[in-house]
Amino acid sequence: MSAPDLPAGADPRLHDLARWIGTWCFRPVFRVHVHHRERIPATGPVVLVANHSALVDGPLLFGLLGRRSVFLVKQEMFTGVLGTGLRGIGQLAVRRGEPDRAPLTAALGVLRGGGLVGVFPEGTRGAGEVAAAQQGAAWLARASGAQVLPVVCRGTRRPEGSGRRWRPRVDVLVGEPLPAPAGKGRAELAAATETVRGALAALVADLDAMRATNMRSSA
């Protein structure tokens, strides 16, 4: 069984089961607030770009998008039972810091099938402020004609020096979709990457301001 919005070899039923589990499995751990969920396109090719500050960011987004999603996940996660499960639900392994066209080619096929592909343009976990970005997301959007959907998350990363937290508040802010990048050259791709990075960084700043306001009002 195959589906046009999933990579070859993925099991659509297993993917949908995992997505259903993802809609509720974080509720005992986090108090999740999603802002502007209506901005997520229900159909059609979408490259979702997100900031990345904690390992849980990807699984959290996977469960709350309301549609099938294929994320580019670091190769190190694809070992043992976890790796088998990730492949079964259609997630794509990517080698960080190395030229690796295979996952991008597979992701392009998902987009051309009308699917959603999730990318963390920072390339690795950090402060989640999107100070730098790699070009894969912009390349995928340009090659497929997909919209770019910026999404940012705050609250999943435990502050340095703090102890365990009891159900911390997590906020997810969905930005306005961006049109597919235009132009075919390297300079245009670099400019599109900077546009994506700037949109994400601005969205992080908006969410930080929103969270600060909420903290003051609840104090």
Side-chain angles (χ1 to χ4, degrees):
M1 181 182 294
S2 61
D5 56 354
L6 292 176
D11 186 331
R13 292 169 298 185
L14 184 61
H15 180 100
D16 292 341
L17 174 61
R19 192 161 58 83
W20 175 74
I21 293 173
T23 62
W24 55 262
C25 70
F26 290 106
R27 292 179 185 177
V29 183
F30 299 122
R31 292 176 291 121
V32 181
H33 299 261
V34 183
H35 309 275
H36 295 297
R37 191 193 298 264
E38 75 281 358
R39 292 173 176 170
I40 302 172
T43 59
V46 174
V47 175
L48 181 148
V49 291
N51 67 330
H52 198 20
S53 59
L55 183 62
V56 74
D57 293 338
L60 180 67
L61 292 176
F62 178 81
L64 64 78
L65 290 173
R67 58 178 291 185
R68 289 175 177 170
S69 57
V70 174
F71 281 81
L72 299 182
V73 181
K74 64 180 181 179
Q75 177 70 41
E76 293 86 341
M77 299 294 294
F78 286 77
T79 58
V81 175
L82 177 60
T84 300
L86 288 172
R87 291 186 182 91
I89 64 174
Q91 308 309 288
L92 297 172
V94 61
R95 296 182 179 88
R96 297 180 296 178
E98 300 179 27
D100 194 1
R101 302 284 288 189
L104 290 180
T105 300
L108 189 57
V110 170
L111 292 168
R112 288 174 174 165
L116 183 151
V117 171
V119 181
F120 297 102
E122 294 167 282
T124 188
R125 296 195 305 276
E129 296 173 351
V130 201
Q134 299 181 9
Q135 295 186 341
W139 182 87
L140 284 170
R142 185 175 72 173
S144 64
Q147 296 182 85
V148 178
L149 182 69
V151 179
V152 296
C153 183
R154 285 302 217 190
T156 55
R157 183 181 185 181
R158 187 170 66 186
E160 297 293 337
S162 66
R164 289 185 175 274
R165 302 175 298 165
W166 171 250
R167 295 195 73 226
R169 176 179 174 125
V170 171
D171 289 278
V172 178
L173 176 58
V174 182
E176 294 283 359
L178 307 172
K184 297 181 179 181
R186 293 183 179 179
E188 288 82 359
L189 182 60
T193 298
E194 177 56 25
T195 297
V196 170
R197 189 208 65 78
L200 269 180
L203 205 60
V204 169
D206 288 345
L207 183 53
D208 284 347
M210 184 187 303
R211 283 169 60 85
T213 299
N214 288 338
M215 288 180 63
R216 286 194 297 269
S217 63
S218 61

